[in-house]
Amino acid sequence: MTIGKLAGLSGVNLETIRYYERIGLMPEPGRTEGGHRLYEPAHRQRLAFIRRARELGFGIDGIRALLGLAEPHRRSCEAVRVIVSDHLQDVRTKIADLVRLEAILAGTVERCRDTAMAPSCSVLDLLEAAA
């Protein structure tokens, strides 16, 4: 299949597919005599794996490691557990940061009830103080 067809079937932008090839996440496809890329079903499966891992927030290095571990002769649940555990800790840290941010924003909105012109606005004061 062509890169356009692969992009359409996978929901991944064709420039992203080319990028994944350049950095080695996707194997180089075969080429026609005219130099056009020809993708196999295995490319689509690998791209689906990468896309799903990206949706779950894994970075390129984590995906590269998981792809290596997904090879039939290299499967290691323990190695996968380590990678996923590290990522889980990052996710938990981000969630905690977002909860703190939500509390700050909710408090700021609550203090900013008056929609009329006022000499002071707590939201603007907060943003100006950060600058």
Side-chain angles (χ1 to χ4, degrees), residues 76-119:
S76 166
C77 286
E78 178 59 23
V80 170
R81 189 190 68 74
V82 169
I83 294 166
V84 174
S85 293
D86 289 347
H87 183 57
L88 176 59
Q89 185 56 48
D90 291 344
V91 168
R92 287 178 173 157
T93 299
K94 288 175 186 176
I95 289 170
D97 290 344
L98 286 171
V99 167
R100 283 192 296 277
L101 176 61
E102 188 268 344
I104 290 167
L105 292 173
T108 302
V109 167
E110 185 63 29
R111 286 190 304 275
C112 193
R113 290 177 180 229
D114 188 10
T115 59
M117 294 294 289

Side-chain angles (χ1 to χ4, degrees), residues 20 25 46-60 62-64 66-67 87:
Y20 289 159
L25 282 185
R46 187 172 180 106
L47 188 57
F49 184 105
I50 295 167
R51 180 177 182 208
R52 184 67 181 132
R54 293 296 288 159
E55 288 170 350
L56 294 173
F58 284 94
I60 298 298
I63 294 171
R64 190 181 314 280
L66 290 169
L67 282 166
H87 183 57

Side-chain angles (χ1 to χ4, degrees), residues 37-53:
R37 293 172 170 93
L38 283 179
Y39 294 90
E40 303 293 328
H43 288 100
R44 183 177 175 195
Q45 290 173 317
R46 187 172 180 106
L47 188 57
F49 184 105
I50 295 167
R51 180 177 182 208
R52 184 67 181 132

